[in-house]
Amino acid sequence: MEKRSVTVAAVDVEALERDAAAAVAAASTPEELDEIRIRYLGRRSELKQALRAVRDRETGMTLNAVRERLEAAFDTRETELERDQLAKRDQALDVTLPGTQLRRGRLHPLTQIRREVEDIFLGLGYEIIDSREVETVWHNFDALNQPLTHPSRSHRDTFYVDDDTLLRTHTSTGQIRVMEQRDPPIYIATLGRVYRRDTPSPRSTPNFHQVEALAVDRGITLADLKGTLMHFFRAMFGEGRDVRMRTSFFPFTEPSVEFDVTCFLCAGKGCAFCKHTGWFEMGGAGVVDPAVFERVGYDPEEWSGFAWGLGLDRIAAQRHGIPDIRMFWENDLRVLRQF
Ligand code: DAH
């Protein structure tokens, strides 16, 4: 028997659905698919016209079912085509090629050292204090018991703003600033720029950096100072480093010492860098002079303390084997990018 197609409202719905499905499958771009959608589902399409002419429920249901199936088929194909198109675009872009590398900034080697030093002090329970770079002569010299005749007070060694104001020559000023403001016990470190009228050379620049530590409490001795220095330099340069103290003189400490640390490069064996001594000179320290306590109104009978200071630029130079500390100031990116 000849298979007769189903004709609803004068439309061969089976043939229509078959044709539409074939056209949908053959569409190769979303634009093509849109045209096909208009042809089969648009306002003037055969199906829509038949639907508009529907008078009985059964015909309506049959035609609507065809419409729904076709709409679903169109939607599915549309998603497929869009995905294909995206995939093609990605191939054209070739996302496997490496992108343009953005250069990352980095911290200046001196800033890195400064932060490391701060971390060691924070680990010891010290507070990091900001002090000022423009100072009074009193904070920089007088309060620190510096004699009036000391050569470092001269205009040839120090940058003066006016007779009473200068650019601090050391971070020891921070000791006075803190002691003026608070009562003991005090455990602080202060870091920053200091200024001296030196001619730039491989070992000195007129502007450099120091760290200053101050501990004031009851019963503090030179042994506490040595223990703290030892801890500090082992944290900084590695276990097994040693600290050696030599007697010295500073007007703000009594007794005063200068301290050396096991040479960073040869670990104490002796090399050209440490002039074959195995030691590297680091800074000055001592037990706070009672005269300083009196200047800030502390009772020297009750309180005792130690203080020490050293140059950060020298630590950074040591750490990285930099032969000339002026390199830290030249901002040569070929140098700075190495850190
Ligand atoms: N202020 C000294 C300098 O710049 C370093 C120093 C020496 C700091 C002895 C101290 C100290 O706290 O006790 O050379």
Side-chain angles (χ1 to χ4, degrees):
M1 196 170 93
E2 192 196 337
K3 186 180 181 295
R4 283 206 44 206
S5 57
V6 183
T7 307
V8 177
V11 179
D12 182 346
V13 278
E14 258 183 24
L16 181 107
E17 192 170 354
R18 210 182 320 112
D19 290 354
V24 165
S28 57
T29 64
E31 293 74 28
E32 225 177 290
L33 187 69
D34 271 344
E35 280 168 26
I36 298 164
R37 191 197 304 263
I38 290 166
R39 179 159 10 116
Y40 287 99
L41 292 172
R43 277 182 51 239
R44 291 204 218 139
S45 63
E46 211 179 348
L47 188 61
K48 283 292 167 72
Q49 288 184 7
L51 268 165
R52 238 172 268 132
V54 163
R55 294 287 171 264
D56 65 297
R57 187 166 175 273
E58 206 173 323
T59 309
M61 278 173 65
T62 310
L63 291 175
N64 263 323
V66 173
R67 183 184 56 84
E68 270 169 30
R69 282 197 296 276
L70 284 181
E71 274 172 359
F74 273 106
D75 288 349
T76 309
R77 185 70 187 141
E78 186 174 20
T79 313
E80 276 171 18
L81 288 174
E82 276 169 0
R83 204 183 301 136
D84 283 359
Q85 245 187 4
L86 278 179
K88 275 202 204 99
R89 198 182 312 154
D90 285 352
Q91 275 161 16
L93 277 176
D94 194 353
V95 289
T96 61
L97 281 173
T100 317
Q101 283 262 317
L102 291 179
R103 256 208 201 100
R104 286 181 65 198
R106 60 194 75 211
L107 295 174
H108 191 279
L110 287 172
T111 307
Q112 291 179 25
I113 293 286
R114 182 179 172 154
R115 294 203 181 169
E116 242 177 84
V117 168
E118 287 177 354
D119 283 349
I120 298 173
F121 277 112
L122 289 171
L124 281 167
Y126 280 55
E127 195 181 328
I128 307 297
I129 300 287
D130 262 337
S131 202
R132 52 186 87 187
E133 292 178 28
V134 179
E135 261 299 359
T136 65
V137 170
W138 194 81
H139 287 90
N140 197 84
F141 293 127
D142 302 335
L144 287 161
N145 206 30
Q146 189 79 276
L148 280 170
T149 52
H150 197 278
S152 66
R153 288 188 183 247
S154 95
H155 286 243
R156 227 176 288 151
D157 283 353
T158 298
F159 294 102
Y160 281 84
V161 177
D162 58 40
D163 285 350
D164 304 314
T165 322
L166 46 69
L167 299 183
R168 66 176 175 191
T169 62
H170 52 184
T171 44
S172 302
T173 50
Q175 291 186 31
I176 306 301
R177 288 270 167 203
V178 171
M179 289 193 284
E180 274 177 339
Q181 282 160 19
R182 346 177 158 175
D183 291 328
I186 285 173
Y187 292 87
I188 60 102
T190 182
L191 301 87
R193 289 171 187 244
V194 298
Y195 303 82
R196 290 183 197 175
R197 291 187 68 163
D198 283 332
T199 308
S201 78
R203 291 174 72 82
S204 64
T205 44
N207 178 194
F208 57 105
H209 302 78
Q210 284 188 332
V211 51
E212 180 89 10
L214 171 72
V216 182
D217 211 327
R218 290 189 172 88
I220 287 208
T221 69
L222 214 55
D224 299 309
L225 167 65
K226 183 155 188 189
T228 309
L229 288 175
M230 211 112 90
H231 173 88
F232 179 84
F233 286 108
R234 288 184 179 164
M236 199 72 211
F237 294 129
E239 285 304 318
R241 307 285 146 174
D242 244 322
V243 173
R244 173 173 87 169
M245 303 202 300
R246 293 174 282 111
T247 50
S248 184
F249 175 80
F250 296 101
F252 36 94
T253 43
E254 182 58 37
S256 301
V257 298
E258 278 175 84
F259 53 92
D260 307 332
V261 178
T262 313
C263 175
F264 182 73
L265 273 190
C266 65
K269 286 189 214 73
C271 66
F273 198 63
C274 60
K275 299 190 193 97
H276 302 281
T277 61
W279 297 97
F280 198 81
E281 244 182 77
M282 266 298 165
V287 171
V288 180
D289 196 302
V292 173
F293 281 156
E294 275 164 14
R295 298 276 195 332
V296 295
Y298 287 3
D299 178 1
E301 297 295 320
E302 185 181 359
W303 301 105
S304 49
F306 66 71
W308 51 283
L310 60 90
L312 290 175
D313 312 61
R314 302 197 74 199
I315 299 190
Q318 265 238 38
R319 158 77 58 88
H320 300 299
I322 299 249
D324 186 332
I325 61 170
R326 288 175 296 186
M327 290 166 92
F328 288 137
W329 297 94
E330 284 164 355
N331 284 335
D332 184 335
L333 287 179
R334 289 169 306 177
V335 173
L336 296 180
R337 281 201 186 114
Q338 294 178 43
F339 300 101

